[in-house]
């Protein structure tokens, strides 16, 4: 028996908590380190890359939840670890006022904890969501992603309001409150879900290495992992350079570039909602939305790189990103849930590929931009990066069209409990 919509909404509060806690290191702590503490901008970039790198442990957490026969303890334990890491990072900002060396030590352990916690909680949450949603993978993916974004927005805005007037001591107390709220949300989200949904969790006692080999021996699984890596690399390449592009090439002020970025995110939300609703109504398959999203994203990027009107190209990029998210995440859950004994391991493998690509994208995009701007005008330099990103999206669309067609065929012949 699959969970009802009320239970699905409640369960997705886990993703809201993850989004809220993950937003603070990327946004607020990044600003405090580079502005208030006057530290090199590379430092928070490396710390964020570290927490993505640590998420290579996702297959381990997924396997542990498969073996133990329950996802909830790993979700709650992971969120608690993320909270401790985020609180530790805030404490490091307080310590940096007197000792940067001590702060660096604290930040190192804090960001490792954040990565481990997100890996444990995020992988187990997606595995549980995949098991209880039944055929509604596209709609569930939309719901999970929307609440992830909502959590990030509420945490960022709420923390910003509570920090007035700012002081490092106040920061620690405010962040501690946010972490407590996030953990409480996860308790509310997960209580009784695994028992009330009445789905059969098939416990897998296969050793981790053997489970990974079995997963990697499945051609659909490793090809889909390649699609995840390609598409997420393309998805995140423009994240750190989009607003600088608006300033350098189009001369927009910080306020206007932020509004433009918000418009892109708004278009992405509309794409997610549209694809999620249509997918729930069985209009368009997950493969269709993933491929269409990749192609539209590529067209938007080519428009930006070629000097086409800024707003339409930006909207196309955002819309394509939203369509892609629903198709990709929904397919990820579908492929993982199709193998009841190894749902967690497969979700962990896909999540590890996603984390590597996301961490690598920022470093590649900024490094590539620095090099191209040394030899080309700004417009051509940004255009080069956007064109490469568009090519990655088109490659991802081709891979998705092949891999997801094979996945749909294999799912149709899958025997229960495989």
């Amino acid at each position: 028996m699959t969970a009802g919509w009320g239970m699905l909404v409640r369960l997705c509060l886990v993703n809201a908590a993850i989004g809220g806690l993950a937003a603070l290191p990327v946004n607020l702590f990044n600003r405090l380190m580079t502005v208030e503490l006057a530290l090199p901008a590379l430092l928070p970039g490396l710390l964020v890359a570290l927490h993505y790198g640590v998420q290579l442990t996702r297959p381990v957490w997924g396997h542990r939840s498969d073996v133990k026969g329950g996802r909830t303890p790993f979700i709650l334990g992971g969120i608690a670890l993320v909270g401790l890491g985020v609180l530790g990072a805030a404490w490091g900002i307080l310590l940096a006022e007197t000792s940067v060396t001590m702060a660096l030590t604290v930040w190192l352990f804090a960001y490792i904890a954040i990565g481990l916690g997100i890996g444990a909680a995020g992988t187990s949450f997606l595995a549980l969501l995949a098991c209880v949603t039944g055929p509604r993978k596209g709609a569930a993916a939309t719901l999970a992603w929307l609440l992830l974004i909502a959590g990030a927005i509420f945490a960022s805005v709420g923390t910003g309001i509570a920090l007035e007037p700012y002081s490092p001591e106040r920061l620690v107390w405010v962040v501690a409150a946010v972490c407590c709220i996030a953990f409480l949300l996860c308790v509310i989200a997960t209580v009784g879900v695994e028992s009330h949904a009445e789905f059969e969790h098939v416990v897998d006692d296969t050793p981790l290495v053997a489970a990974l080999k079995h997963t990697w021996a499945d051609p659909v699984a490793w090809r889909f992992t390649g699609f995840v890596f390609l598409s997420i690399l393309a998805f995140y390449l423009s994240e750190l350079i989009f607003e600088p592009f608006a300033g350098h090439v189009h001369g927009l002020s910080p306020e206007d570039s932020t509004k433009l970025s918000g418009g892109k995110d708004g278009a992405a939300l509309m794409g997610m909602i549209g694809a999620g609703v249509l997918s729930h109504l069985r209009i368009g398959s997950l493969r269709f939305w993933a491929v269409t999203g990749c192609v539209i994203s590529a067209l938007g990027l080519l428009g930006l790189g070629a000097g086409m009107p800024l707003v339409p190209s930006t909207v196309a990029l955002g819309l394509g990103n939203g369509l892609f998210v629903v198709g990709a995440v929904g397919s990820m859950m579908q492929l993982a849930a199709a193998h009841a004994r190894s749902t967690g391991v497969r979700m962990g493998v896909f999540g590890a590929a996603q984390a590597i690509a996301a961490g690598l994208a920022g470093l590649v995009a900024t490094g590539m931009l620095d090099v191209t701007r040394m030899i080309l005008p700004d417009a051509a330099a940004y255009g080069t990066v956007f064109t490469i990103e568009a090519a990655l999206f088109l490659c991802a669309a081709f891979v998705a069209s092949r891999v997801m067609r094979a996945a749909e065929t294999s799912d149709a012949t899958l025997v229960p409990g495989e």
Side-chain angles (χ1 to χ4, degrees):
M1 181 184 296
T2 58
W5 279 111
M7 185 173 288
L8 288 180
V9 172
R10 179 161 64 86
L11 178 58
C12 285
L13 289 175
V14 171
N15 230 25
I18 293 174
L21 292 179
L24 296 181
V26 174
N27 299 321
L28 177 61
F29 296 171
N30 181 12
R31 183 253 158 73
L32 293 175
M33 289 179 191
T34 56
V35 178
E36 275 69 18
L37 297 175
L39 295 171
L42 182 61
L43 175 61
L46 289 174
L47 289 172
V48 171
L50 172 64
H51 100 61
Y52 277 123
V54 170
Q55 290 182 49
L56 282 171
T57 57
R58 279 178 176 261
V60 177
W61 295 116
H63 178 259
R64 293 299 295 170
S65 67
D66 285 337
V67 170
K68 295 298 182 181
R71 318 288 182 188
T72 301
F74 293 92
I75 294 173
L76 296 180
I79 284 293
L81 189 56
V82 177
L84 289 174
V86 171
L87 183 57
W91 182 47
I93 291 172
L94 173 62
L95 292 176
E97 297 285 332
T98 54
S99 174
V100 174
T101 301
M102 188 176 295
L104 287 172
T105 303
V106 171
W107 285 332
L108 179 65
F109 287 103
Y111 278 78
I112 289 175
I114 292 170
L116 288 173
I118 290 177
T123 303
S124 302
F125 160 72
L126 287 174
L128 179 57
L129 186 65
C131 290
V132 304
T133 51
R136 300 165 295 180
K137 298 294 190 292
T142 300
L143 181 61
W145 203 272
L146 288 176
L147 284 178
L148 180 79
I149 295 172
I153 293 172
F154 278 109
S156 298
V157 173
T159 302
I161 294 172
L163 278 177
E164 297 178 3
Y166 171 76
S167 71
E169 294 80 5
R170 188 179 184 90
L171 172 70
V172 173
W173 286 106
V174 170
V175 169
V178 172
C179 293
C180 290
I181 292 171
F183 184 78
L184 180 61
L185 272 180
C186 287
V187 172
I188 295 171
T190 56
V191 62
V193 169
E194 292 193 82
S195 59
H196 292 165
E198 297 180 8
F199 70 95
E200 181 182 359
H201 183 95
V202 182
V203 178
D204 181 24
D205 56 0
T206 306
L208 174 62
V209 174
L212 288 173
K213 286 182 178 178
H214 181 267
T215 297
W216 208 243
D218 179 359
V220 174
W222 65 259
R223 287 172 186 164
F224 186 79
T225 303
F227 161 70
V228 170
F229 180 83
L230 271 177
S231 58
I232 295 298
L233 182 63
F235 184 86
Y236 280 104
L237 269 179
S238 60
E239 285 295 294
L240 295 182
I241 66 171
F242 181 76
E243 289 201 37
F245 159 75
H248 283 143
V249 177
H250 292 274
L252 297 188
S253 65
E255 295 82 1
D256 288 337
S257 68
T258 300
K259 291 176 183 177
L260 184 68
S261 183
K264 178 171 74 74
D265 293 340
L269 286 174
M270 294 303 296
M272 290 178 205
I273 294 171
V277 170
L278 292 174
S279 176
H280 182 61
L281 296 175
R282 301 186 183 280
I283 300 175
S285 65
L286 293 173
R287 174 165 59 93
F288 173 80
W289 295 120
V291 172
T292 301
C294 286
V295 172
I296 294 177
S297 296
L299 292 176
L301 288 163
L302 291 173
L304 292 173
M308 300 294 286
L310 180 60
V311 173
S313 298
T314 299
V315 170
L317 174 59
L319 180 64
N321 284 177
L323 298 175
F324 151 75
V325 163
V326 173
V329 177
S331 298
M332 190 184 301
M333 293 193 297
Q334 186 177 62
L335 286 173
H339 298 262
R341 291 185 178 276
S342 58
T343 299
V345 170
R346 288 171 182 261
M347 193 62 75
V349 170
F350 301 152
Q354 178 182 339
I356 295 170
L360 184 63
L363 299 176
V364 169
T366 53
M368 191 187 308
L369 183 62
D370 285 341
V371 171
T372 52
R373 288 187 70 202
M374 293 172 63
I375 57 178
L376 295 172
D378 282 346
Y382 280 100
T384 300
V385 179
F386 288 147
T387 300
I388 292 173
E389 185 178 0
L392 287 173
F393 261 127
L394 291 176
C395 288
F398 175 76
V399 173
S401 67
R402 302 290 295 275
V403 172
M404 293 184 189
R405 182 182 292 114
E408 290 167 355
T409 302
S410 65
D411 286 349
T413 59
L414 192 67
V415 295
E418 182 181 343

